[in-house]
Amino acid sequence: MASFRSQPLLLDGVGSGPILRRNKTTRGGGELVAAGFFREVNNRVRFPAMGAQKRWNGQRATGKGGAFEEAKEPESAGADAGRDGDGDGDGGGSAQAAAAAAVEKGKKVVAMQQRLVDKILGRRSPVWSFERTAAEADNDIDSTKEVRTYDSNLSSYNGNATTSSATMEPKVQDVGGLDTAISPSESKLPAVDYKSSSRDETPDSVDAKEEVIDAPPLAGVNVMNVIVVAAECAPWSKTGSSDHANIDQFSYLVVVPRYGNYAEPKDLGVRKRYTVAGEDLVVAYFHAYIDGVDFVFIDCPVFRHFENNIYGGNRVDSLKRMVLFCKAAVEVPWYVPCGGVCYGDGNLAFIANDWHTALLPVYLKAYYRDNGLMKYARSVLVIHNMAHQSGFRNSDSGELNFELMILICQGRGPLEDFYHVDLQEHYLDLFKLYDPIGGDHFNIFAASLKTADQVVTVSHGYAREVKTSEGGWGLHSIISENDWKFRGIVNGIDTKDWSPELDVHLQSDGYTNYSMETLRTGKAQCKAALQRELGLPVRESVPLIGFIGRLDTQKGVDLIAEAMPWIVGQDAQLVMLGTGRPDLEEMLRKAERENRDKVRGWVGFSVKTAHRITAGADILLMPSRFEPCGLNQLYAMKYGMVPVVHAVGGLRDTVIPFDPFNETGYGWTFDRAESGKLIHALGNCLNTYWNYKESWEGLQKRGMEQDLSWDDAAKNYEEVLITAKYQW
């Protein structure tokens, strides 16, 4: 069974060939609405051009702010041919011709959009394409034509690419001389539901089949195309904890830099030139389609070799990389064909993440919406960590250097940095922010907070904290002024990767998968396996405390160091996994040397070990000074691990304190970042573990029973996106 939008398709027969799709009606064989291709390899159906559809009378989404208009009958011969309902497929050739014509029309509109944008911006920025691009090949319905594929490993940007059949020279499309201004939002490119359910190439066989199925539902009023723009994306690039939401009725495209030679993305053959601080840079676009999501990778030499240090380099070079990335990302829906069709800019929302992509809402306003373009595109800024407006990291340890954040940083700097972002002078006020230490300075977050249509941060508690002078890192006044569009949404977790029942890291070395029903025996077995693996005495009765995270003051590791004499004085064991500040790494090594039977310090990071600590340890220690959301406490509760946390940000929202009188709550919290407070909370936790086994098991099970998935967060993000859509 394949899918066309949300409508199931029942496909008979095998092999590859065209399928003439008809709406099932009460009379005759129904109306011909599209021609597609069935692929035997993965049982998917491909409808290359939605423009060939025979639409029934009713309402359709236009992409203009959610407006609807009466759907008109298409005038194509292919549509007419399907009206007789004879079911013999005679109208197939005409339908194919209509589909091909619709594709060509779409290409012309995109070309006009290109010339118009470049004319408004006063630039000559050619789009390079091959004589026949991958997009054209993918949309070629006439399978008697040659279908060419492209080498995904371009060694340079000289415009040459090697294909399976020939070497083709690139051509530079003319980008000037457009006399008639046409807004992309007013073009005939479909805004929603135009993409096929597959990214497969056109098959070689032309044996026709025909399917009679029920007509699919019309696009809903709130359907949107969502483009998530981020500097990192697992599994290709990742520096911190992150998971993502998926809202069922929206289609998704993720845009990230291409830091390395990844296996999955393939070169689309599209080239675009951008000017960054006076330097012309050419980018290439790579594409992958995985689990129903389009991934677009922006390739340029300036991104290469940063996969292990994404935010590395000096402040100006890092700023220039992100300027290029945001300029290229905002134009992806126009120029990058995903599955053969560009997204277009109707019913479109960008989601930008932290300072690294915070320029995108600014560019969307300054380059496009202020010039009458992309009128129906919206932007949402997601703040994962307000401190990362700075993001200066020690080159040796990777640790955030809070003492230098105000003076040496990325995303904020001297006012002269404004001239690297290539905007007109009157936009400077968006970026200007007064700092009591250094006076006026340049701040990307400030500009993005003002220009984004909606702003989200990753928990309710953190949303409150960033409005204070202590938590806002200088931006609290701007956030308060924009409070009407600001809200907190608690992150979820990937319950496939983080599930004690499914965890692949628990299937060897004496570990075992377990559920709530097998919690007592399963977690005990994982605990014993972890103690053996780390060389600790195997003692079931001893509480095993775990810490997983960066070794720095933000994570409160210095509080653990201060409390270490008390901790090792208890009948307990401690294991810590992480890397960061050299003196804290040495603290770990010293604690292990002096307490071989009680402490293990793993300097470094291992995904497998993180999973196994979460499954085998009894208590999670998380004394962060600030924590916008935090994921480790969510992972811990999912695995029956009881958290002890500092009540800040998302930790306050997600860890409800234990109430022994009513047997409610999930763990323990303390209200100030002090070692004494930590010791008090941890002491109460240990006492419950030793002396109140029934209460302890209740804590574990209540934590595991929670729905910690992205489902609730996705509903809240849907509300934000719909609010942005109708916001003017």
Side-chain angles (χ1 to χ4, degrees):
M1 181 177 289
S3 65
F4 176 62
R5 299 184 195 168
S6 60
Q7 176 65 41
L9 302 182
L10 299 177
L11 304 178
D12 296 329
V14 295
S16 300
I19 297 173
L20 304 182
R21 178 182 179 280
R22 294 181 182 275
N23 285 335
K24 184 186 293 182
T25 62
T26 56
R27 298 189 304 273
E31 300 174 334
L32 176 67
V33 295
F37 289 90
F38 173 67
R39 287 185 65 84
E40 182 178 6
V41 174
N42 52 13
N43 292 335
R44 288 184 175 179
V45 68
R46 176 79 167 118
F47 290 94
M50 302 303 297
Q53 294 184 41
K54 165 71 171 63
R55 300 299 294 266
W56 54 92
N57 289 332
Q59 301 287 315
R60 68 180 178 87
T62 64
K64 300 180 179 180
F68 282 74
E69 63 183 34
E70 291 294 325
K72 298 179 181 179
E73 298 287 333
E75 298 178 358
S76 68
D80 294 332
R83 290 175 184 167
D84 56 10
D86 58 11
D88 60 4
D90 292 340
S94 299
Q96 294 176 7
V103 171
E104 290 303 318
K105 184 176 181 180
K107 294 175 187 174
K108 292 178 182 179
V109 172
V110 170
M112 285 190 293
Q113 294 171 359
Q114 158 87 38
R115 293 195 292 270
L116 176 61
V117 171
D118 292 332
K119 185 173 182 180
I120 288 177
L121 300 182
R123 73 188 186 195
R124 239 188 124 68
S125 177
V127 176
W128 297 1
S129 66
F130 299 114
E131 293 295 335
R132 297 184 72 242
T133 65
E136 290 175 280
D138 198 35
N139 281 280
D140 224 342
I141 299 179
D142 185 355
S143 60
T144 62
K145 294 182 180 180
E146 179 185 11
V147 177
R148 299 181 181 177
T149 58
Y150 295 91
D151 184 357
S152 62
N153 296 315
L154 294 181
S155 59
S156 64
Y157 297 103
N158 58 9
N160 296 322
T162 303
T163 73
S164 59
S165 58
T167 301
M168 298 174 291
E169 294 297 328
K171 62 181 179 180
V172 179
Q173 297 178 355
D174 182 19
V175 297
L178 181 64
D179 296 323
T180 304
I182 301 177
S183 169
S185 301
E186 296 170 352
S187 74
K188 299 303 181 182
L189 285 176
V192 293
D193 279 355
Y194 53 83
K195 295 167 59 185
S196 70
S197 61
S198 172
R199 298 296 185 268
D200 297 318
E201 294 178 358
T202 304
D204 295 328
S205 173
V206 293
D207 297 330
K209 308 179 184 70
E210 185 170 322
E211 285 300 322
V212 179
I213 63 172
D214 292 326
L218 291 169
V221 66
N222 292 327
V223 171
M224 297 181 72
N225 296 314
V226 179
I227 298 183
V228 180
V229 185
E232 57 184 86
C233 180
W236 300 284
S237 55
K238 183 175 179 179
T239 63
S241 299
S242 62
D243 286 316
H244 64 278
N246 188 21
I247 306 171
D248 290 337
Q249 70 165 315
F250 296 166
S251 59
Y252 289 90
L253 189 156
V254 177
V255 184
V256 292
R258 185 172 180 261
Y259 298 109
N261 294 317
Y262 308 133
E264 299 87 353
K266 305 303 178 185
D267 191 353
L268 290 172
V270 178
R271 300 292 182 270
K272 196 76 168 60
R273 180 182 295 136
Y274 294 93
T275 300
V276 177
E279 179 182 3
D280 284 346
L281 299 170
V282 175
V283 302
Y285 295 90
F286 286 67
H287 175 258
Y289 182 71
I290 301 171
D291 293 334
V293 177
D294 287 302
F295 293 87
V296 170
F297 296 80
I298 296 176
D299 187 40
C300 186
V302 299
F303 297 128
R304 290 305 182 96
H305 313 302
F306 280 95
E307 59 266 33
N308 296 321
N309 191 20
I310 293 173
Y311 310 113
N314 65 55
R315 176 179 52 79
V316 174
D317 287 344
S318 182
L319 173 60
K320 290 179 180 179
R321 288 201 306 272
M322 296 312 166
V323 166
L324 174 64
F325 178 49
C326 291
K327 282 187 174 186
V330 76
E331 293 190 339
V332 161
W334 283 359
Y335 304 128
V336 180
C338 297
V341 182
C342 295
Y343 268 60
D345 61 24
N347 286 318
L348 178 71
F350 290 96
I351 297 181
N353 292 273
D354 272 349
W355 83 266
H356 326 106
T357 56
L359 276 171
L360 191 144
V362 183
Y363 286 153
L364 179 62
K365 169 182 168 58
Y367 286 165
Y368 305 101
R369 292 172 67 174
D370 283 359
N371 290 290
L373 301 173
M374 299 184 95
K375 294 185 295 185
Y376 306 108
R378 298 292 182 264
S379 63
V380 176
L381 173 66
V382 181
I383 300 172
H384 298 267
N385 194 329
M386 186 65 76
H388 289 175
Q389 65 180 288
S390 312
F392 178 78
R393 294 178 185 271
N394 182 290
S395 59
D396 296 326
S397 67
E399 176 225 347
L400 282 170
N401 188 324
F402 292 99
E403 291 77 13
L404 293 177
M405 271 187 168
I406 300 299
L407 300 176
I408 307 175
C409 49
Q410 300 169 345
R412 60 186 285 170
L415 287 177
E416 290 74 18
D417 281 356
F418 173 76
Y419 301 101
H420 295 306
V421 300
D422 302 314
L423 290 170
Q424 296 178 345
E425 191 79 26
H426 64 273
Y427 290 107
L428 174 60
D429 287 341
L430 290 174
F431 295 86
K432 190 181 294 185
L433 186 67
Y434 179 78
D435 191 300
I437 297 177
D440 286 336
H441 71 277
F442 168 87
N443 192 296
I444 292 176
F445 251 151
S448 192
L449 286 165
K450 297 171 186 176
T451 54
D453 294 294
Q454 291 285 302
V455 183
V456 173
T457 192
V458 290
S459 71
H460 309 294
Y462 196 58
R464 293 189 296 268
E465 291 172 9
V466 295
K467 296 172 188 174
T468 67
S469 58
E470 295 82 5
W473 294 90
L475 294 169
H476 52 284
S477 297
I478 295 176
I479 293 172
S480 297
E481 292 168 4
N482 290 275
D483 187 56
W484 60 274
K485 62 179 182 181
F486 189 82
R487 66 182 295 181
I489 299 176
V490 176
N491 286 339
I493 63 173
D494 187 331
T495 53
K496 294 180 181 179
D497 285 346
W498 288 93
S499 167
E501 298 178 79
L502 306 173
D503 198 325
V504 297
H505 302 294
L506 306 182
Q507 297 172 3
S508 60
D509 301 328
Y511 293 85
T512 186
N513 294 114
Y514 60 92
S515 64
M516 198 180 323
E517 290 71 26
T518 60
L519 170 64
R520 184 176 297 179
T521 57
K523 194 161 183 68
Q525 183 175 333
C526 289
K527 180 177 181 178
L530 180 63
Q531 289 170 326
R532 282 194 300 269
E533 184 176 1
L534 298 177
L536 288 168
V538 178
R539 297 177 59 195
E540 182 179 356
S541 61
V542 170
L544 180 54
I545 305 165
F547 169 89
I548 303 168
R550 195 171 62 248
L551 304 181
D552 66 20
T553 53
Q554 188 237 313
K555 296 298 183 181
V557 180
D558 57 315
L559 302 180
I560 299 177
E562 293 175 12
M564 189 66 74
W566 181 87
I567 294 173
V568 298
Q570 309 304 307
D571 188 18
Q573 295 174 343
L574 172 67
V575 56
M576 297 180 65
L577 171 67
T579 184
R581 215 170 76 183
D583 62 319
L584 295 175
E585 290 181 355
E586 180 55 32
M587 178 273 296
L588 241 62
R589 297 186 183 98
K590 180 181 178 182
E592 179 175 328
R593 285 195 304 267
E594 295 177 351
N595 303 275
R596 293 291 301 172
D597 290 341
K598 291 189 174 184
V599 178
R600 285 294 180 272
W602 186 308
V603 177
F605 190 76
S606 164
V607 172
K608 179 175 73 172
T609 304
H611 279 252
R612 289 181 169 183
I613 291 173
T614 306
D618 301 296
I619 300 164
L620 175 73
L621 198 53
M622 205 164 173
S624 304
R625 278 187 165 77
F626 68 93
E627 194 67 63
C629 178
L631 294 177
N632 284 339
Q633 83 278 12
L634 303 180
Y635 301 148
M637 290 186 287
K638 187 69 176 176
Y639 281 63
M641 194 182 187
V642 177
V644 177
V645 304
H646 183 203
V648 292
L651 301 179
R652 182 200 302 268
D653 292 345
T654 56
V655 181
I656 307 302
F658 173 52
D659 179 352
F661 301 103
N662 297 304
E663 291 291 340
T664 59
Y666 307 124
W668 280 264
T669 65
F670 53 100
D671 59 5
R672 287 201 300 275
E674 299 173 359
S675 58
K677 293 285 187 177
L678 183 156
I679 289 171
H680 179 75
L682 183 56
N684 286 331
C685 178
L686 293 175
N687 181 52
T688 304
Y689 177 89
W690 286 321
N691 301 312
Y692 301 94
K693 290 296 184 181
E694 188 174 336
S695 293
W696 185 263
E697 193 167 307
L699 281 161
Q700 291 177 298
K701 290 186 175 181
R702 284 192 297 275
M704 295 180 73
E705 286 171 347
Q706 296 179 89
D707 180 6
L708 301 174
S709 71
W710 271 102
D711 290 349
D712 286 339
K715 293 175 184 176
N716 290 325
Y717 272 100
E718 180 180 357
E719 292 177 5
V720 169
L721 291 166
I722 292 172
T723 300
K725 176 177 179 175
Y726 295 106
Q727 181 176 317
W728 291 90

